[in-house]
Amino acid sequence: MTFLFYLFAALALFGGIGVVVCRNPVSAAFSMIVSFLGLASLFIQLDAYLVGILQILVYAGAIMVLFLFIIMLLDVKEEEKRHFPYISFAGAGAVVTAFLVLVILVLNRGGTSGRTLPELAATEAGGSDVHRIGELLFGTYWFPVQIVGVLLLAATVGVVVLSKKELR
Amino acid sequence: MELTLNHFLFVSGALFAIGLAGVLVRRNLLIIFMCLELMLAAANLTLVAFSRFHLVEGQPAYDAHVLLFFIITVAAAEVAVGLAIIVALFRSKETTDVTKVNTMKY
């Protein structure tokens, strides 16, 4: 269990580093897929099966394919090596170090964050997480589901408008 | 060593930091956009970890999973619109380099 956690965490983190380091956008997109697979495995380790599968289907499947499609369509070239913006490297290093120090400080403060993985109560048949989330989605949260549907429609219309040849 | 909430929160924070570094360092608009997605996904991990470690009646707090469902949906819509904007930008400027996109209209 712990070994798997470290394995998948390393997968997610090194995939993320690959996105930042890879010069070629296609390799960056593939590192991103690796990172999302690791992340989805962490979700599944946390007993969030539906969310883990959704992460793979929507992020690694749909969104990254869309990214790859656009990369191929635009024929994006690799960033050339000579132009090295030291200022932005220094700024990014400072901001990221500050952020990580902050995270470590907050995590070391104690409280509930040191607790170990609690045991789940046994569920009766048909009590899977998909079942429970479905009940919540179409029961308590029926209105946000409708709103998200409208949002997706608006996004579709917006994309069609943006993709027209004459934009103005 | 037993797995604690800290493990997951640290992975989430580190992943967020990596995404942040990417947004600050890279100059290709598409990769900056990918790094934004990475930060969003890292925040998702925090949500799932908290829901798993704070049990409600012996089960994870499923409201977090519902929220995650909405976040993933909104992220998909955001990616669609964002990529359309990048394509429109590429049509008018012939580049995805953020340092070359420095005028508002022409």
Side-chain angles (χ1 to χ4, degrees):
Chain A
M1 186 75 176
T2 316
F3 165 72
L4 284 180
F5 168 79
Y6 285 115
L7 179 70
F8 291 130
L11 207 62
L13 290 180
F14 283 109
I17 291 173
V19 178
V20 179
V21 171
C22 283
R23 237 164 253 288
N24 187 343
V26 178
S27 0
F30 276 104
S31 316
M32 188 87 171
I33 293 177
V34 170
S35 178
F36 281 152
L37 288 181
L39 206 58
S41 316
L42 286 183
F43 285 167
I44 289 173
Q45 194 168 29
L46 286 167
D47 295 294
Y49 299 104
L50 177 69
V51 168
I53 297 296
L54 271 183
Q55 177 88 8
I56 292 178
L57 283 183
V58 177
Y59 268 109
I63 291 184
M64 291 324 289
V65 166
L66 201 59
F67 264 106
L68 280 173
F69 188 67
I70 297 295
I71 289 170
M72 307 281 185
L73 183 77
L74 298 188
D75 193 20
V76 181
K77 287 166 211 71
E78 298 184 16
E79 287 181 27
E80 60 287 344
K81 204 162 187 149
R82 53 184 172 76
H83 182 75
F84 244 75
Y86 289 111
I87 284 282
S88 74
F89 271 93
V95 169
V96 167
T97 313
F99 180 78
L100 277 181
V101 167
L102 194 67
V103 166
I104 291 170
L105 280 182
V106 169
L107 291 187
N108 279 338
R109 232 181 33 157
T112 60
S113 59
R115 64 162 66 181
T116 52
L117 210 59
E119 284 293 318
L120 290 183
T123 52
E124 71 281 15
S128 66
D129 68 329
V130 183
H131 189 95
R132 297 285 299 272
I133 292 169
E135 272 178 356
L136 276 177
L137 269 182
F138 296 106
T140 318
Y141 295 101
W142 65 273
F143 190 64
V145 172
Q146 307 286 322
I147 297 292
V148 161
V150 175
L151 175 80
L152 281 178
L153 178 68
T156 315
V157 173
V159 169
V160 170
V161 169
L162 277 172
S163 310
K164 289 231 187 238
K165 269 279 186 298
E166 61 285 349
L167 201 54
R168 56 196 70 181
Chain B
M1 199 162 92
E2 194 98 17
L3 280 184
T4 63
L5 183 54
N6 266 352
H7 285 80
F8 290 96
L9 292 185
F10 181 75
V11 170
S12 170
L15 207 57
F16 191 91
I18 291 170
L20 187 62
V23 170
L24 291 174
V25 167
R26 297 306 296 263
R27 282 165 294 137
N28 188 332
L29 204 49
L30 276 162
I31 293 182
I32 289 178
F33 204 36
M34 276 192 235
C35 290
L36 281 176
E37 290 303 312
L38 201 63
M39 288 159 78
L40 206 61
N44 285 351
L45 180 59
T46 312
L47 259 178
V48 176
F50 273 118
S51 97
R52 179 62 180 78
F53 281 87
H54 284 260
L55 298 187
V56 181
E57 293 167 2
Q59 294 294 318
Y62 281 113
D63 300 68
H65 295 199
V66 173
L67 183 55
L68 218 80
F69 176 83
F70 289 130
I71 291 175
I72 290 177
T73 319
V74 172
E78 174 223 327
V79 166
V81 175
L83 284 177
I85 290 175
I86 291 177
V87 170
L89 184 78
F90 189 81
R91 272 210 197 108
S92 66
K93 306 260 187 200
E94 294 291 320
T95 181
T96 54
D97 190 336
V98 280
T99 56
K100 297 203 175 87
V101 185
N102 47 14
T103 49
M104 290 293 276
K105 192 167 176 188
Y106 296 110

